[in-house]
Amino acid sequence: MSVPTPMEGHASDSARVYQTGGDQYIEEHVHHYAPGSAPLFGRQVVAPAASGRAAPDSVRLPLVGRAPGVLRDRTDVMERLRAVVAGPGGDIQVLHGMGGCGKTAVAHALFTEAVRDHGRVGLWVNASERVSLRAGMLAVAGDRGATGGELAAAAGGRRAAADLVWHYLDHSAQPWLLVLDNADDPAVLEEGAWLRASPSGTVLVTTRHATSPLWRAPAVSSHRIGVLPLEDATQVLCDLAPEAGTPESARKVARRLGCLPLALTLAGSHLSHQLLESWTMDEYDRRLGEESTALVDRGAPATGAGQSRRLVGRTWQLSLDTLAESGLPEATTLLRLLSFWAADPVPLSLLMPAAQGTVAGPGHLVRRCPPTGSSRPCARSWTTRWQSWSRRTGIAA
């Protein structure tokens, strides 16, 4: 009998390697099962059904990107919010303003102080969509003592979910602060009766929508969050990139960026984390005239949850989408045209001929965005236009 020549073989998972000599006949039946469904000792094990609503990893931690080390020009609103958190509860506070103005940063600062200085239980829920709001609020109920059976009944539609959540919030043994972040569509809160006041804690809502009827309820107080004053905006850049240039250079960049906190944070992050380039503030200011929003967004992390809200270009697009869904698709075209102009007021008389069809096109309106002479939209013009538009429509960028 001949001896088989040794061979090397490799098997992974449930596979096997056979080696033999002579004539052999091997028959093997392999059955593939989905994970968790293979028979175990003659008994079929069925994997639990996947839930359509994934619970957040935590409701005790703020779901934010890079929080500012120092919160600039928010002293007045923070004092008002601190007084509310230190009080007995029963209040709903609403922070409204255009995207990128730092509403979430203010909420994060208050959340941190409430937990650290006032002994509050901090609870944070992403309220941007129905699915994330519902999953987050049920997780809040679980945190406050709801049983697995109660949560399963609410998730399966056998029990009113919002009633369950607020029952446990109302009967919480510890005072709490509940942040409902990015509630840009108030209908999401209204449809399920998710927004309620409770004697056991304080609710803080961040939203771009300034005029919702929900914010006019007796227990609700609203606070407008706007762009920063120029000196505070300059200091944000100096805080983040102190070696990149002088305060005067930082002031020029801040002015060009419209003093928008999100844009300032991204610009400062870009300047402080350069690997291949070593741009100064002056060089960054010059290049803003060439690339504008695309350059600013380079300061964002490459990955991460909620990435679209951490980009200047994308956070404005979210509001353009909202305007289109509200039956105002022409607003996108108009705002894009206006963004090519300087940030100064535009006389309505310039727009009327084009609106009435008395000119061939908008070419007579185009004016380059100073001081660089670029024909690209400038961030400062975008910011100024959005502020004016949001005051008229109640829908902030």
Side-chain angles (χ1 to χ4, degrees):
M1 181 177 179
S2 62
V3 178
T5 302
M7 300 176 62
E8 292 186 359
H10 174 74
S12 60
D13 296 330
S14 301
R16 287 179 283 274
V17 176
Y18 296 96
Q19 181 173 331
T20 185
D23 296 331
Q24 299 288 331
Y25 178 77
I26 299 174
E27 182 176 353
E28 181 175 10
H29 299 276
V30 180
H31 300 273
H32 299 277
Y33 295 91
S37 62
L40 182 64
F41 302 115
R43 179 184 176 188
Q44 186 77 9
V45 179
V46 180
S51 173
R53 303 179 181 91
D57 293 332
S58 174
V59 291
R60 290 293 192 102
L61 296 175
L63 303 174
V64 299
R66 180 181 180 181
V70 179
L71 199 62
R72 299 284 176 186
D73 188 51
R74 305 304 186 205
T75 303
D76 291 344
V77 68
M78 284 297 296
E79 287 181 355
R80 295 195 295 269
L81 293 173
R82 288 189 188 107
V84 171
V85 169
D91 300 283
I92 299 174
Q93 304 294 315
V94 177
L95 304 179
H96 63 85
M98 62 186 288
C101 273
K103 304 179 294 295
T104 296
V106 173
H108 177 269
L110 184 68
F111 184 98
T112 301
E113 291 186 15
V115 173
R116 182 190 63 208
D117 302 334
H118 298 283
R120 297 259 177 167
V121 173
L123 303 164
W124 192 286
V125 173
N126 175 11
S128 62
E129 298 176 343
R130 290 174 176 80
V131 171
S132 62
L133 173 67
R134 183 182 177 88
M137 291 296 276
L138 287 177
V140 164
D143 183 275
R144 296 294 80 210
T147 66
E150 290 174 315
L151 293 174
R158 300 186 302 277
R159 180 166 183 171
D163 290 347
L164 174 69
V165 173
W166 284 102
H167 169 79
Y168 279 97
L169 284 172
D170 289 341
H171 293 84
S172 174
Q174 300 167 284
W176 43 262
L177 170 66
L178 171 63
V179 176
L180 301 177
D181 193 30
N182 293 322
D184 297 334
D185 183 1
V188 172
L189 297 175
E190 187 175 16
E191 288 172 2
W194 290 108
L195 185 63
R196 308 182 190 183
S198 171
S200 299
T202 300
V203 180
L204 179 65
V205 180
T206 72
T207 180
R208 303 183 187 202
H209 207 297
T211 59
S212 170
L214 284 178
W215 314 152
R216 295 197 291 268
V220 179
S221 299
S222 296
H223 313 270
R224 181 179 176 273
I225 307 296
V227 298
L228 297 175
L230 181 57
E231 291 308 311
D232 289 285
T234 300
Q235 194 57 51
V236 169
L237 289 173
C238 293
D239 291 342
L240 293 171
E243 307 298 326
T246 65
E248 183 57 37
S249 297
R251 189 174 293 108
K252 289 194 299 181
V253 174
R255 185 182 291 111
R256 183 187 287 275
L257 295 175
C259 300
L260 184 70
L262 174 60
L264 296 167
T265 300
L266 293 175
S269 179
H270 179 92
L271 289 167
S272 62
H273 293 89
Q274 298 179 81
L275 297 178
L276 301 179
E277 302 120 335
S278 57
W279 295 350
T280 63
M281 290 278 188
D282 290 330
E283 176 67 9
Y284 190 85
D285 180 61
R286 184 184 71 79
R287 289 180 179 263
L288 276 174
E290 302 171 357
E291 301 182 61
S292 190
T293 305
L295 176 60
V296 175
D297 285 342
R298 290 186 194 175
T303 59
Q307 182 74 358
S308 62
R309 293 179 179 272
R310 299 174 193 170
L311 301 174
V312 171
R314 183 55 189 155
T315 197
W316 284 331
Q317 187 60 48
L318 290 173
S319 288
L320 291 174
D321 294 343
T322 300
L323 288 170
E325 292 168 1
S326 301
L328 297 170
E330 300 85 358
T332 299
T333 303
L334 177 59
L335 286 167
R336 290 193 186 280
L337 172 63
L338 293 175
S339 71
F340 281 88
W341 297 357
D344 303 314
V346 178
L348 185 61
S349 58
L350 287 178
L351 297 175
M352 290 307 295
Q356 295 171 351
T358 58
V359 296
H364 72 295
L365 303 176
V366 174
R367 189 174 87 196
R368 294 181 181 274
C369 180
T372 64
S374 171
S375 61
R376 296 174 179 270
C378 65
R380 179 170 175 241
S381 181
W382 263 113
T383 303
T384 305
R385 301 299 172 213
W386 272 123
Q387 287 180 282
S388 177
W389 185 269
S390 64
R391 283 193 290 269
R392 288 173 171 80
T393 64
I395 302 174

